[in-house]
Amino acid sequence: MKIFTTENIRNIDKATIQEGTSAMELIHRVAEGVVKEIVQRFSTSKPIVVFAGSGNNGADALIVAKLLIEAGYSPEVYLFNIKGNSLSKDCREAYAELMSLPVVRMTEIIDTARIPELSPSHLVVDGLFGTGLRDSLEGGFKMLARYITESHATVFSIDIPSGLFCDWNQGNLSRDMVHATLTLAVQYPRLSFFLRENADIVGRWKLLDIGLSKAAAAATPTKYYYVERADVADKLKPRRPFCSKADFGTALIYSGCYGMMGAAVMAARGALRAGVGKLTVHSGRCAFDVLQSQVPEALFEPDPKDILISEMTPRHNYDAICAGPGIGINDATRGALKSLIMNVKKPMVLDADALNIIAKEPALLNHIAPGSILTPHAAEFDRIFGQNPSAESRLLRAVDVAYKYKVVMVLKGHYTAVVGHDGNVFFNSTGCPAMATPGSGDVLSGVITALLAQGYKPGTAAVAGVYIHGLAGEMAAEIHGEYGTSALDIAENVGRAIASIMKTKK
């Protein structure tokens, strides 16, 4: 699914109206969607306060109030019509519709605000400001946003919480925005929904399909996407009846050291469950018993050293190579990784301690093969590329880094972002809190490596691998719960996740 900028959505709205759907019809569709969510959750006795601004977001809110009254609710409505002449054309029309009802509890605020006392028992419908907001809230609106949030009322925001910008929010203070319980976004999610610092502002979000022009959306370019099941199903290749393991690539994983051999096991299991044809794990000699007993399907290649990796010179022409999970950052391993990076000219997967080594020797970035996939979490990214004050600044930095070094950056998190060197960003839709467990990232590295070995392009391998990994985590959590899920549980569900996705193709 495409994620559009504010300007994009405005143009798609205009195209929809030009195709024959009136602005008021779109407003009614939004309001109907909001009211449906309210009716499903609350009885008619629920105390409801509707805050409407002077623009089209306010028009949505006014029609919400009208439909609620018609459904038997008794909302209090507060319309901000500053100086008595600030309403947009559509807001004036919505106001007239609402006031045509025989009984409306309406307060029109022209100069002095008379705000009701809110409590946790209230439902607030936030229609103050929508996607057209250009400046941070100030004055009375800023204080109102704080008051709504501090009341601990349930808040349903129409399209976007008031005060939050759709795209970038650097310098926009979260305490000066309405904090929604549920954001009912019109047609498409907004970029700001996917950034960690906005999570408490957006709350849960849900899309309202109001029938915006599909042709206009298809013709509108974007660099931001929300990855869904069908997107991954379209990329995964079915297996032919007469296939053999030779058809699914060879992979080499440099992983593990004394005390961290579990990382090698988890990466290997992730790769095997993701369908790699043949897998070799290279580690210190002490890993032999562990790997052969825990992952007997994998070949084991011993390092000359007993308890660490001192050599990373591939002995065969592997289709994919991964380095990093649990390798440590000792001097011998640092030298081995440096040699690997300097000599291998095909895309690799670099994770965990490989990234920590690069952080100590950032000049290695200049020698990483184009198309390589780096999989840092926030702390690892900042160790390499400098501290970032927010997820937003980190994402922007990742776009620059991916372009500069021609790599694919996998920024791990709730909405893991895969950043291509072409500037495209793909936010993942799968995963759950159960995946915040040791070794989960090692499994992901194995999955991505397996897809790379099977011939998927680096960007595709990263996007599909992240989605599969997240879905496997959800499946594992269904069995073990959010507290009890381990990384090996995730690995064991990778195959089931792929099978589930493949069914979408049928």
Side-chain angles (χ1 to χ4, degrees), residues 55-85:
N56 281 17
N57 196 245
D60 296 334
L62 293 176
I63 299 301
V64 166
K66 175 178 181 286
L67 297 179
L68 285 173
I69 293 170
E70 292 175 340
Y73 293 81
S74 183
E76 291 184 71
V77 184
Y78 290 80
L79 172 63
F80 289 81
N81 184 13
I82 307 304
K83 297 182 180 179
N85 61 357

Side-chain angles (χ1 to χ4, degrees), residues 65-115:
K66 175 178 181 286
L67 297 179
L68 285 173
I69 293 170
E70 292 175 340
Y73 293 81
S74 183
E76 291 184 71
V77 184
Y78 290 80
L79 172 63
F80 289 81
N81 184 13
I82 307 304
K83 297 182 180 179
N85 61 357
S86 64
L87 302 187
S88 69
K89 173 180 175 295
D90 293 326
C91 195
R92 289 197 303 271
E93 189 170 338
Y95 175 77
E97 273 197 47
L98 172 61
M99 297 309 294
S100 69
L101 298 179
V103 179
V104 180
R105 299 166 66 194
M106 162 68 76
T107 300
E108 186 174 356
I109 297 172
I110 295 174
D111 47 23
T112 303
R114 296 180 293 277
I115 303 303

